[in-house]
């Protein structure tokens, strides 16, 4: 006799489920039940045996795992490609023997390797021998203070920042990344690396900045050759 709740008198579905979970040999002793139990398939709403439904579930699980494996492989390939680009860019900086040529080489190769539409760079406090470089011109105190205040790269919309004017087409820049360059024993900011894109979503406030920080560390290490020697 069943109760209004649809369970056997005094026995609930949870009791049955617990019994089956704790009695793995039940269907071995009653193997004929496996062939008689019919459940609805999620594919076409047809009745299938318990064994067939188990096979469907197994195939779905395998398909899901295959999808995850493909996604992992894709991310792995992307990471290898990024690592290769970073390696080539770093090698180009190391092979640049003329310190005065470093700023332009750094920006040009960065744009080329990482397909960045626009990139710019400004430095301050450089050695007198490099004070006339284009990268050492036109930096206001506000821009220097802004760079000094950044503990992480800024990523977001182009809200009329002075640094956007360092790019060749500021009006086309919808999103920006600004990376402070730090050096010396105190780690003071001595430059700002600016990346710009016409895509408003390329540099967003919620994106990770670990890779940009590495770019900044490498750039700062290379450009420290332009600072006054201790």
């Amino acid at each position: 006799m069943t109760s209004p709740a649809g369970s056997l008198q005094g026995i609930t579905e949870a009791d049955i489920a617990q019994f089956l979970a704790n009695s793995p040999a039940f269907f071995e002793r009653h193997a004929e039940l496996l062939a008689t139990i019919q459940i609805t398939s999620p594919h076409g709403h047809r009745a299938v045996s318990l064994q067939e439904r188990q096979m469907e579930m197994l195939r779905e699980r395998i398909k899901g795992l295959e999808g995850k494996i493909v996604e992992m492989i894709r991310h792995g390939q992307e990471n290898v490609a990024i690592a290769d680009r970073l390696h080539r860019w770093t090698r180009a900086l190391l092979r640049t023997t003329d310190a005065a040529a470093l700023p332009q080489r750094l920006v040009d190769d960065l744009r080329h390797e990482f397909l960045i539409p626009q990139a710019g760079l400004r430095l301050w406090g450089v050695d007198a021998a490099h004070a006339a470089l284009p990268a050492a011109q036109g930096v206001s105190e506000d821009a220097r203070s802004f760079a000094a205040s950044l503990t992480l790269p800024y990523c977001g919309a182009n809200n009329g920042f002075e640094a956007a004017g360092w790019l060749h087409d500021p009006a086309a820049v919808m999103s920006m990344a600004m990376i402070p360059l730090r050096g010396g024993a105190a780690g003071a900011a001595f430059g700002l690396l600016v990346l710009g894109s016409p895509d408003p979503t390329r540099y967003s406030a919620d994106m990770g900045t670990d890779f940009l920080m590495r770019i900044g560390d490498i750039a700062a290490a290379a450009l420290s050759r332009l600072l006054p020697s201790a």
Side-chain angles (χ1 to χ4, degrees), residues 67-193:
K68 290 181 179 179
I69 291 172
V70 170
E71 187 73 5
M72 289 173 61
I73 292 173
R74 184 178 66 81
H75 284 307
Q77 291 172 337
E78 290 175 353
N79 289 337
V80 168
I82 291 173
D84 286 344
R85 295 188 185 107
L86 186 63
H87 173 76
R88 289 194 296 268
W89 180 65
T90 304
R91 183 179 62 184
L93 298 181
L94 292 173
R95 296 180 66 179
T96 302
T97 57
D98 181 5
L102 264 175
Q104 194 61 47
R105 181 65 181 270
L106 184 150
V107 170
D108 289 345
D109 282 23
L110 189 65
R111 288 182 57 203
H112 171 73
E113 290 293 349
F114 297 99
L115 305 178
I116 299 171
Q118 298 193 54
L121 172 69
R122 286 295 186 275
L123 306 170
W124 50 89
V126 299
D127 188 82
H130 305 297
L133 289 176
Q137 309 302 313
V139 187
S140 71
E141 285 298 328
D142 285 344
R144 298 184 188 190
S145 296
F146 175 73
S149 71
L150 292 175
T151 56
L152 294 172
Y154 167 87
C155 297
N158 176 13
N159 293 322
F161 291 105
E162 174 186 329
W166 305 341
L167 305 175
H168 71 270
D169 187 6
V173 176
M174 296 292 105
S175 65
M176 300 173 60
M178 291 183 281
I179 309 169
L181 307 178
R182 300 183 182 277
F190 70 92
L192 192 63
L193 179 61

Side-chain angles (χ1 to χ4, degrees), residues 6-8 11-23 26-27:
S7 63
L8 295 174
I11 302 177
T12 66
E13 289 186 356
D15 293 331
I16 297 172
Q18 185 175 5
F19 168 76
L20 293 175
N22 294 330
S23 306
F26 176 81
F27 284 109

